[in-house]
Amino acid sequence: MKKFLRTIGALALTASLVACGTSDSNDDEQATGTDDDGEGEATEEVQSLVVGATAVPHAEVLEFAKPLLLEEGIDIEIQVFQDYILPNTTLESGEIDVNYFQTPGYLAQQLADNENFDFVSVGSIHAEPIGIYSQEYTSLDELPEGAEIIFSDSISDHGRILPIFEDAGLIELDVAEGELATVDNIVSNPKNLQFGSTQVEARMLAPSFENGEGDAIAINTNYALEGNVDIEKYGIAFESDEKLQGNLIVVRSEDENNEAILKLVEVLQSEEVTQFIEEQYNGAVIPLHE
């Protein structure tokens, strides 16, 4: 993962917050134009979608894609969230039509914990490697005996963080195939590293890092970007390429074949959006279409 760090630099990104609102994806607005012969008026349907997303990079990607979608007859309203809870509860309630923020592991955990959630993924757009950051140490090997590693309070993130330490040879995990690791799966920890003894909301990881808490902190890339953490300077380890999880477009199961939503996925996976992601985030966000 170091291969992309050298090109990242310090990213200071801002997201335009769009006013919240609701829409029914089956309600169409009408636009007029000429028919193929240039005579008379033809009616073109414009479909509306409300898309819930976290600010960086998801809402920024959607803002870029908005005019491309309008060309395809889709008008999106972007509702920005600051946490990982509300995007799913508002999807379940019908206040939004789609959300764009979560990984397969997080979605699986949410479905297991909330029997009223009937969601499916309809596409993967990009990946954001979770990183380990430290103000004092420059590699995982430098971490001292009993070092405190601060985690987010999202259990699905633990299954992405712990393998980073296993890959570095600092711990051993015993995890059943297809399951995400937890601290209970650690079977060897020679340095007695303190994993997750301090857990905070994912959005508070960057402020915790800036406050100098812990010996190292595992931060989701979207919150590192949003919090203006210097990824190149302070990132000491990242998820390996083969373990990256895509950030998904998630909908209620009843909308799995909704044409407007499938067109949204198509545009977000297009060459234009892929190029935007590559140029805007310099490798910190990786287009990943599944």
Side-chain angles (χ1 to χ4, degrees), residues 1 6 50 59 74-75 129 132 137 147 150 152 165 167 186 188 191 210 235-236 240 248 261 277 283:
M1 188 52 62
R6 299 188 182 95
V50 179
I74 309 236
D75 184 23
I132 312 300
Y137 305 103
I150 295 178
S152 82
F165 289 85
D167 290 345
I186 299 174
S188 177
K191 282 191 172 183
E210 293 298 332
I236 63 174
S240 60
L248 308 174
I261 291 171
I277 292 172

Side-chain angles (χ1 to χ4, degrees), residues 4-172:
F4 78 82
L5 288 177
R6 299 188 182 95
T7 61
I8 292 176
L11 297 175
L13 303 175
T14 57
S16 301
L17 302 185
V18 181
C20 300
T22 61
S23 173
D24 185 337
S25 59
N26 295 319
D27 290 342
D28 299 327
E29 296 176 0
Q30 301 296 319
T32 59
T34 58
D35 59 25
D36 291 339
D37 297 323
E39 298 177 359
E41 294 292 325
T43 300
E44 180 183 340
E45 293 182 347
V46 176
Q47 294 181 280
S48 297
L49 293 174
V50 179
V51 185
T54 46
V56 182
H58 308 82
E60 293 179 340
V61 173
L62 289 167
E63 285 288 357
F64 175 81
K66 196 169 185 177
L68 301 175
L69 286 161
L70 201 54
E71 291 176 5
E72 300 291 339
I74 309 236
D75 184 23
I76 62 168
E77 178 184 342
I78 306 164
Q79 184 167 332
V80 179
F81 296 94
Q82 303 302 322
D83 67 11
Y84 289 165
I85 304 300
L86 287 175
N88 276 337
T89 59
T90 54
L91 180 63
E92 191 278 330
S93 69
E95 296 173 62
I96 62 175
D97 302 304
V98 180
N99 68 41
Y100 171 34
F101 80 101
Q102 59 194 318
T103 61
Y106 185 78
L107 175 61
Q109 188 67 51
Q110 286 281 290
L111 294 176
D113 292 344
N114 299 274
E115 61 181 19
N116 58 318
F117 286 178
D118 185 16
F119 303 155
V120 295
S121 165
V122 291
S124 176
I125 309 304
H126 73 265
E128 302 167 17
I130 282 184
I132 312 300
Y133 296 83
S134 177
Q135 296 191 37
E136 187 171 356
Y137 305 103
T138 60
S139 73
L140 293 183
D141 288 338
E142 289 184 9
L143 292 173
E145 180 85 16
E148 180 187 17
I149 316 300
I150 295 178
F151 278 8
S152 82
D153 58 4
S154 173
I155 297 298
S156 64
D157 282 347
H158 301 182
R160 300 173 62 192
I161 295 162
L162 291 170
I164 299 173
F165 289 85
E166 184 178 46
D167 290 345
L170 296 181
I171 64 172
E172 277 186 49

Side-chain angles (χ1 to χ4, degrees), residues 174-180:
D174 182 12
V175 187
E177 186 176 353
E179 293 186 2
L180 291 174

